[in-house]
Amino acid sequence: MIFFETYGDRLITAFQVHLFYVLTSVTIGFAIALVLGILLSRVPQYAKVIMPLLSVFQTIPGIVFIGILFLYLGMIPATVISALAVYAIFPILKNTYTGLLDIKKEYIEAAKGCGMSPFQTLLEVELPLASPSIIAGLRMSTIYTVSWAVLAAMIGLGGLGEFIYIGIASNNDQLILAGAIPSAIMAIGLSLLIDVLRRVVVPKGIRSVK
Amino acid sequence: MIRFENVKKKYGNTVILDNLSFNIEPGEFVVLIGPSGCGKTTTLKSINRLIKPDQGKIFVNGQEISQVNPVKLRRKIGYVIQQIGLFPNMTIEQNIGVVPKRLKYEKKEIQKITRDLMEMVDMSFEEYAHKYPSELSGGQQQRIGVLRALAASPPIVLMDEPFGALDPMTRATLQKEIGKLHKKLNKTIVFVTHDMNEALDLADKIIFMEQGKIVQMATPEEMLANPASPLIRDFMRKSSLATDPLNLTAADFMSANVISVQKKKSIRECTDIMARQHIDSLVIKNEDETYAGVVTIKDIKKHGKSSGTIGEIEPYQNITSDILENAKDSFDKLYNSGDNYVVVLNNDQTVAGIISKTSMATAMADTLWGDMQ
Amino acid sequence: MDASIILEHLYLVVMTVIFSVVVGLPIGVLAYLKPAGRKIVLWSVEILQTIPALALLGLIIIALGPGKMTVISGLVLYSLLPIVHNTCVGLENVDNGIKEAGKGMGLTQLDRLISVEIPLAFPMIFTGIRIATVTTVGVAVFATSVGGGGLGKIIYQGIRTQNINLIVSGTVSLMIMAVLFDVLMIWINRRLAKGAHNKAF
């Protein structure tokens, strides 16, 4: 209890900052990933080369991106957000792409046969059918981003990582937990929220057919 | 209504459509038939520009279709495919309304169309309109598939083996329904099938294709009377012979694809085979390939050991039938014995095949409603 | 940068993966055998994954004191999810007919698992191990914050001293390591799958 009297306010601010980083970067990442995923699914012959290259970049630890961007952009939130957004892209992109490619040919043919334009086919048939996969990618990205956002504190930009870094430096397990538990709660909370979103977005007719 | 002028199509070096020319009159029910790879589906799909020919011209309603926007063209041509292709994310009503919605019909009107169409195939609007495709049986789904093609009352409807994936009962019903719909709505229908019975039943005109060429284009009566090639005669014979059940023997009904092992096979191998093939019994043969009996998974369990050979287990003496025995006699045996199948033996007592209850039902349906592939 | 740091990183990764398999595989099998506990097990490993890696390592260090083995145990916790998940789901997906045949032959549950179900689920289980390995290569960077060494040391040093060469050399070594693991393990999985195929037919 004493702990909360001392750190309560800072913890709430840190939580908000952390959430802000996560939401902004996941939103940006999602938008980019969706567009890229759709574009790549139109040219699978190139995507076959591009996707593995992207997955290699995915192996670069987040800390490196933040570190390098920090050198060039300095200590501003944009550094953190753009680094996190880059990380949020890949799982969503991959799931969008495979989700779109996995759609059975017959639906596309039926859509064409019904006189749907390519854009209408995408909007009304392909994206709804790929939505379970896309949302699963979003969920994964969000959970990762909550975890990576801890790194903001490494360059002095706050968030729940602050508690964790200070805690590690001072060997104070209370402080580490004060950073870790809210961050885990945030990850779980957001993934529950996405489960709700899933129920709204994924059309009823395909919910049982995973 | 639809006219092909010297249409050619190649995939690599294979000629798919070889200088095809023909004419389809308004209101005609035309069936494209032929062996697989003959170009019938390619012909169909080039009418709504799902496939683009290399050379030649196709006219629909007097217009050369390569000059027409494909999206606009397709909205005036109904299209039904074998895989049904109802959009699983849309309700039945939304599926039927796909084209009218795009042609900017009023909401009320779309609902009325949906209701009327569903009535025509005896499906209750109240019960089904708000269901999703996955909640319907295959036959119901394909009915909706046909209705979707009709919804914007296109003058032309293309059907690509629409009933090929349905069971024979449902197929027969839907064939009847489509015949009725055609008479009632007076559409031009182009219909692809590999089933001659279906063609004879439905068509005003049959186009028989082989290797990208038309071998014969004629009314069903004419084609029956004067088939233009041995292949056509063969197609016809298959469909008419099958309807004479008196001459059938066990050989006509058996499945030759029977899994049998010799006595010297190890029990472990046998259970492996059974697991892989999803079967619960094996036909056992003597050294000289003659029939010895049947061993079931139960027998193996009773035996207890998984070592040793299958020959150590006393095989069950399943009922057998001679290959030239009348089919009806074989069926009677099967029904009276309580065994799951009849083992059909050649004259030299080697195994020729089996007739199971399912293969019997399939074969009977086959006889009644035509070639099931 | 010398080779010893790469070896140090490699050591962390390999040890982590070995222990993850030793711990994760039985948990996955248990989760498969006891459907009642399955949800709880899968949920717990997922929760572990939501805790930031850095925090997890920090806590374990405080609990167990610094040292390589403590770093490794933290990384193990973090890489359990793909292994447990893929083991459980892979076993569930084994064809029912095959499971039944095993029962029919009178094999015990253990015998069935070892001689039939695990071999058939192995490609999926191995994929889980591969994902865990590649992830661990990246996550092990945090080891340095808690005195575990490895390539993270180089990268942190680069960031602190604003030395881009140091950052890049650390990162590139890391990427190469991750890609090599990935490619190698995909290749092994294919070989194994082929072997299983040949044996069965």
Side-chain angles (χ1 to χ4, degrees), chain A residues 106-118 120 124-125 128-129 203-206 208-209, chain B residues 45 48 50 71 74-75 77 79 81 83-90 98-99 101-102 132 134 148:
Chain A
E106 66 210 51
Y107 297 130
I108 313 285
E109 192 179 318
K112 271 192 196 167
C114 284
M116 285 193 190
S117 65
Q120 284 168 337
E124 297 189 34
V125 178
L129 292 182
K204 195 173 151 228
I206 56 171
S208 50
V209 197
Chain B
K45 286 185 181 177
N48 65 354
L50 285 174
V71 169
R74 288 172 198 151
R75 287 183 188 166
I77 300 178
Y79 185 47
I81 57 177
Q83 309 91 329
I84 303 174
L86 289 182
F87 304 123
N89 53 319
M90 300 181 190
V98 164
V99 186
K101 191 178 146 201
R102 265 158 204 79
Y132 286 91
S134 55
R148 176 172 70 180

Side-chain angles (χ1 to χ4, degrees), chain A residues 177-205:
Chain A
L177 283 174
I181 293 173
S183 137
I185 291 175
M186 188 186 293
I188 294 164
L190 287 175
S191 68
L192 289 178
L193 218 75
I194 290 170
D195 289 341
V196 174
L197 179 76
R198 184 191 150 89
R199 221 157 282 163
V200 179
V201 173
V202 174
K204 195 173 151 228

Side-chain angles (χ1 to χ4, degrees), chain B residues 43-303:
Chain B
T43 307
L44 186 86
K45 286 185 181 177
S46 38
I47 300 175
N48 65 354
R49 286 191 63 178
L50 285 174
I51 289 175
K52 193 177 165 294
D54 302 329
Q55 278 174 49
K57 287 179 180 167
I58 301 170
F59 295 87
V60 168
N61 236 341
Q63 265 181 315
E64 216 257 284
I65 60 166
S66 65
Q67 308 300 318
V68 186
N69 176 314
V71 169
K72 282 196 181 136
L73 176 78
R74 288 172 198 151
R75 287 183 188 166
K76 285 188 220 144
I77 300 178
Y79 185 47
V80 185
I81 57 177
Q82 180 179 1
Q83 309 91 329
I84 303 174
L86 289 182
F87 304 123
N89 53 319
M90 300 181 190
T91 61
I92 298 311
E93 187 177 10
Q94 286 168 334
N95 263 293
I96 296 179
V98 164
V99 186
K101 191 178 146 201
R102 265 158 204 79
L103 294 170
K104 306 255 180 324
Y105 285 26
E106 297 264 330
K107 244 190 169 162
K108 274 242 173 80
E109 206 185 336
I110 298 182
Q111 210 189 54
K112 187 179 176 308
I113 293 173
T114 310
R115 193 181 281 274
D116 291 349
L117 283 171
M118 288 179 73
E119 215 164 81
M120 254 193 272
V121 294
D122 292 324
M123 282 176 78
S124 141
F125 180 86
E126 276 69 30
E127 192 178 341
Y128 293 108
H130 304 293
K131 288 203 165 149
Y132 286 91
S134 55
E135 299 171 273
L136 268 54
S137 71
Q140 288 172 327
Q141 287 186 25
Q142 191 56 300
R143 278 192 184 89
I144 303 300
V146 172
L147 299 188
R148 176 172 70 180
L150 294 171
S153 33
I156 299 171
V157 180
L158 308 180
M159 301 192 169
D160 188 3
E161 299 202 35
F163 310 137
L166 302 176
D167 65 276
M169 274 291 243
T170 318
R171 190 202 302 205
T173 326
L174 274 159
Q175 281 168 355
K176 236 179 250 158
E177 278 173 16
I178 200 73
K180 262 201 283 182
L181 283 175
H182 172 244
K183 279 197 192 89
K184 196 160 169 188
L185 302 172
N186 198 32
K187 307 271 177 210
T188 309
I189 297 179
V190 186
F191 189 109
V192 167
T193 184
H194 57 255
D195 174 355
M196 191 45 109
N197 285 322
E198 194 167 64
L200 293 170
D201 276 354
L202 292 173
D204 295 326
K205 215 180 258 174
I206 300 175
I207 298 181
F208 194 101
M209 292 180 70
E210 198 186 343
Q211 294 180 334
K213 284 189 192 140
I214 294 181
V215 187
Q216 188 173 17
M217 178 165 173
T219 61
E221 296 75 22
E222 207 177 312
M223 202 170 272
L224 270 173
N226 306 306
S229 82
L231 186 69
I232 300 181
R233 192 170 304 129
D234 196 44
F235 260 70
M236 297 277 192
R237 197 181 54 83
K238 238 167 136 190
S239 71
S240 55
L241 178 95
T243 47
D244 185 5
L246 290 175
N247 304 331
L248 295 169
T249 62
D252 289 312
F253 285 82
M254 73 182 187
S255 151
N257 190 9
V258 53
I259 294 158
S260 56
V261 295
Q262 284 211 339
K263 276 186 171 169
K264 59 175 186 246
K265 263 272 198 283
S266 78
I267 294 179
R268 205 173 260 271
E269 268 178 285
C270 291
T271 47
D272 259 5
I273 294 171
M274 288 158 93
R276 248 194 339 264
Q277 306 283 349
H278 303 286
I279 50 176
D280 56 8
S281 61
L282 278 177
V283 174
I284 311 295
K285 297 178 295 188
N286 295 315
E287 303 274 302
D288 57 355
E289 289 286 308
T290 56
Y291 170 71
V294 166
V295 169
T296 65
I297 193 95
K298 264 197 203 124
D299 298 334
I300 296 180
K301 242 189 264 180
K302 222 184 286 162
H303 185 65

